[in-house]
Amino acid sequence: LCCQCGVPIPPNAANMCVGCLRAQVDITEGIPKQGTVHFCKQCERYLQPPGTWIQCSLESRELLALCLKKIKASLSKVRLIDAGFIWTEPHSKRLKLKLTVQKEVINGAVLQQVFVVEYVVQSQMCEDCHRIEAKDFWKAVVQVRQKTLHKKTFFYLEQLILKHRLHQNTLRIKEIHDGLDFYYSSKQHAQKMVDFLQCTVPSRSKSSQRLISHDIHSNVYNYKSTFSVEIVPICKDNVVCLSPKLAQSLGNMSQICVCIRVTSTIHLIDPRTLQIAEIDGNTYWRHPFNSLFHPKQLEEFIIMDINRVHEKKKSAGAGARSNKHTLAEAWVRKTSELDTDHQYFCSTHLGHILNPGDLVLGFDLANCNLNDEFANKMNPHNIPDVVLIKKSYDRTKRQRRRNWKLKELERDREATDTDDERQYQDFLEDLEEDETIRKNVNIYRNADIPVESDTDDDGAPRISLAEMLEDLHISQDATGGEGAEMLT
């Protein structure tokens, strides 16, 4: 018989029925039945004390773990058997947990009890959202500048930043007329960006800091740091004139060269010998040189006659030659001077893609006024009349059949003009023509534009479907963990 109420029961260590045992002992005593959880409305994250904000979906295992941690200390005296959510209306600002606990009570008898803990969801803005809303709250800024008229390097840099997800820690990205400003909440993130830029584009940097406040009692200093990164003022398709000393150190190259690519180094080619060279940032700043022309000075020529040069004798001490280009000698005429008989003779590195009758863009050195310290000192016989840069295709046709797209950084822009759009189209064409640059860029398929047949193809370079990525859309929150499904 139960020693309290006299009801017949199976024998147990306490000699009591379950009802009397529960009346005598409450094993959930000391465990709080109510609590609070802080939630940021802007980024939809929950606060995990003391200062970590984590992403959790409703009734997920991550949210359950966060709620249990709040009562972890008081649960140490009992054994937790089961825990789960009781459904609540999503906008009720309430979370209810159903817990099952066990504890050893009188004379070794084990009592199991089920109870409910209710959490009130309170709104609190996290530090990251607070800084974004404040807009002017930043600890470090990276100012990236390039003293050129063309933004090709910045378009390339934008794609690299997107590919490596370096824009995730930025508070704000501001675009100004000659570069970009990246604002950060910590100096470490800004330093990481500077290191990335120095690895991907030839550049130099310097830093400075300004004291904002100083606590003399705890010896804490609050600084704002500024990093200035200057990218070399050379872009793809620029014609440059090297100093005699630099040209000699690169294997007796010609001083007049064409920049075929800018990655972590400047890639140059000599259009008369196909000799190639790479110049890194440190070498450039020791022996600086400038572009002889800007892209708006490109003129259109028509190929009258062209002959491939198969054997070209190497000069003493010559460096490596390009295998991707073919040396050729061509007679060209300006499309603006077709009514005259004036022709130009030149050597070109584009022999593999040019044929008689093709249109090609180039620079006219014979009739221009060169204002360059190295070019002015050169022997006039060593300066070519014309330097051909790239084959010309119908731009409107290329735009119409372009079935791919690129992603862009979210940034504060100044007023954009038509020149920016033209420069962006130039960059897209460079991607189509240069496979090496394309490997560093994420290219996405544009489903809005159908894939055309190649019947009306004019030979313009195109990006294959194999090189395009499908744009990823997450249609359902994945709770993570092993075996969790991700729906796309």
Side-chain angles (χ1 to χ4, degrees):
L1 300 177
C2 171
C3 67
Q4 292 286 329
C5 61
V7 175
I9 55 166
N12 61 44
N15 285 332
M16 284 189 203
C17 65
V18 174
C20 294
L21 194 56
R22 280 189 177 155
Q24 292 282 324
V25 183
D26 181 15
I27 64 171
T28 65
E29 191 178 0
I31 301 174
K33 306 298 188 295
Q34 286 187 326
T36 56
V37 175
H38 294 97
F39 176 71
C40 178
K41 288 181 180 178
Q42 266 80 0
C43 58
E44 298 185 348
R45 294 188 298 175
Y46 291 88
L47 174 64
Q48 181 175 308
T52 311
W53 291 84
I54 57 172
Q55 196 91 32
C56 304
S57 55
L58 282 172
E59 300 195 10
S60 65
R61 66 189 87 176
E62 290 89 354
L63 188 55
L64 183 64
L66 187 144
C67 293
L68 288 174
K69 277 181 185 175
K70 288 188 169 291
I71 55 171
K72 186 179 180 182
S74 52
L75 285 174
S76 59
K77 296 177 183 177
V78 295
R79 185 181 173 201
L80 184 64
I81 298 299
D82 188 28
F85 284 102
I86 298 175
W87 188 85
T88 53
E89 205 278 324
H91 301 287
S92 65
K93 298 282 186 183
R94 297 290 184 274
L95 297 173
K96 289 187 178 181
L97 257 67
K98 182 181 178 183
L99 304 180
T100 307
V101 293
Q102 281 184 355
K103 187 179 180 182
E104 194 174 298
V105 288
I106 305 164
N107 298 331
V110 177
L111 187 63
Q112 180 171 309
Q113 197 167 333
V114 178
F115 66 104
V116 175
V117 181
E118 184 178 299
Y119 289 94
V120 178
V121 179
Q122 290 187 349
S123 296
Q124 179 182 328
M125 190 180 281
C126 66
E127 282 188 12
D128 294 339
C129 293
H130 198 278
R131 285 168 182 161
I132 291 167
E133 287 298 312
K135 288 189 178 174
D136 291 329
F137 190 91
W138 52 271
K139 289 284 184 70
V141 60
V142 180
Q143 299 173 336
V144 189
R145 301 288 182 270
Q146 187 183 31
K147 295 173 182 175
T148 56
L149 293 170
H150 206 288
K151 294 183 178 178
K152 275 184 185 179
T153 309
F154 283 106
F155 292 134
Y156 174 62
L157 205 56
E158 178 185 18
Q159 296 305 317
L160 286 178
I161 290 168
L162 282 166
K163 182 168 184 173
H164 297 282
R165 297 183 180 180
L166 275 158
H167 61 294
Q168 289 182 330
N169 295 320
T170 53
L171 299 176
R172 178 185 176 204
I173 302 172
K174 186 179 178 185
E175 182 180 320
I176 59 173
H177 66 282
D178 60 348
L180 292 169
D181 287 350
F182 297 89
Y183 293 90
Y184 293 92
S185 57
S186 72
K187 187 179 177 181
Q188 288 78 11
H189 289 148
Q191 186 64 58
K192 187 178 177 184
M193 183 65 168
V194 173
D195 294 341
F196 171 77
L197 290 172
Q198 289 180 331
C199 293
T200 50
V201 286
S203 59
R204 62 179 174 183
S205 67
K206 57 184 177 181
S207 62
S208 63
Q209 55 186 20
R210 179 162 58 98
L211 183 65
I212 304 301
S213 62
H214 171 213
D215 186 351
I216 57 172
H217 300 292
S218 59
N219 208 28
V220 173
Y221 292 83
N222 183 17
Y223 288 104
K224 276 192 173 181
S225 304
T226 302
F227 295 88
S228 176
V229 180
E230 185 183 353
I231 301 173
V232 296
I234 305 296
C235 292
K236 184 180 185 294
D237 298 337
N238 281 169
V239 176
V240 298
C241 184
L242 309 178
S243 65
K245 189 176 179 182
L246 180 59
Q248 187 179 7
S249 68
L250 295 174
N252 290 328
M253 280 184 83
S254 169
Q255 284 182 250
I256 303 288
C257 295
V258 178
C259 175
I260 51 172
R261 192 180 304 117
V262 178
T263 53
S264 55
T265 54
I266 303 169
H267 298 254
L268 299 177
I269 188 167
D270 182 352
R272 294 197 284 187
T273 61
L274 292 191
Q275 190 173 327
I276 53 173
E278 293 183 17
I279 299 175
D280 60 10
N282 293 332
T283 307
Y284 176 85
W285 298 117
R286 281 201 306 271
H287 306 282
F289 52 88
N290 296 314
S291 173
L292 299 180
F293 302 93
H294 54 81
K296 289 182 180 177
Q297 292 174 286
L298 275 169
E299 295 187 67
E300 195 173 54
F301 294 86
I302 187 166
I303 303 289
M304 307 306 291
D305 190 22
I306 187 165
N307 297 311
R308 272 76 175 170
V309 179
H310 298 291
E311 288 296 328
K312 182 83 173 180
K313 190 179 178 183
K314 269 193 175 185
S315 59
R321 287 188 181 179
S322 172
N323 297 322
K324 295 182 179 179
H325 299 85
T326 304
L327 189 63
E329 293 176 341
W331 286 95
V332 296
R333 184 183 293 181
K334 285 187 187 179
T335 51
S336 58
E337 297 177 355
L338 287 177
D339 53 342
T340 67
D341 293 332
H342 193 192
Q343 292 189 13
Y344 301 90
F345 177 77
C346 64
S347 295
T348 179
H349 58 291
L350 302 175
H352 56 299
I353 55 172
L354 294 181
N355 295 301
D358 284 347
L359 294 176
V360 62
L361 297 173
F363 294 110
D364 179 7
L365 279 76
N367 301 312
C368 72
N369 183 17
L370 287 178
N371 186 18
D372 184 85
E373 59 171 322
F374 303 128
N376 293 339
K377 294 175 185 175
M378 282 181 68
N379 186 338
H381 296 293
N382 294 332
I383 300 177
D385 291 343
V386 170
V387 177
L388 302 181
I389 300 298
K390 60 180 180 179
K391 190 174 178 180
S392 178
Y393 301 98
D394 185 352
R395 170 168 278 187
T396 53
K397 192 180 285 186
R398 287 180 80 168
Q399 279 182 252
R400 193 173 64 247
R401 66 164 60 146
R402 190 171 288 140
N403 58 341
W404 53 274
K405 60 184 177 181
L406 300 175
K407 290 189 174 178
E408 291 187 16
L409 286 173
E410 290 183 15
R411 56 187 184 268
D412 300 340
R413 296 173 181 266
E414 290 185 342
T416 54
D417 52 12
T418 52
D419 192 47
D420 281 2
E421 181 58 33
R422 184 187 61 80
Q423 291 180 14
Y424 188 64
Q425 292 300 326
D426 285 346
F427 171 68
L428 297 183
E429 289 172 10
D430 288 346
L431 279 182
E432 289 175 334
E433 292 164 14
D434 196 338
E435 189 181 345
T436 312
I437 295 179
R438 210 157 60 221
K439 288 176 182 174
N440 302 328
V441 174
N442 282 345
I443 295 168
Y444 297 92
R445 189 176 167 203
N446 190 354
D448 300 335
I449 299 175
V451 181
E452 288 186 4
S453 63
D454 294 339
T455 50
D456 59 340
D457 198 356
D458 57 352
R462 297 174 71 174
I463 296 178
S464 64
L465 280 171
E467 293 177 86
M468 298 180 200
L469 299 170
E470 291 286 348
D471 217 344
L472 186 70
H473 298 285
I474 308 299
S475 58
Q476 182 173 324
D477 285 333
T479 54
E482 286 190 69
E485 289 187 350
M486 178 76 81
L487 300 180
T488 57

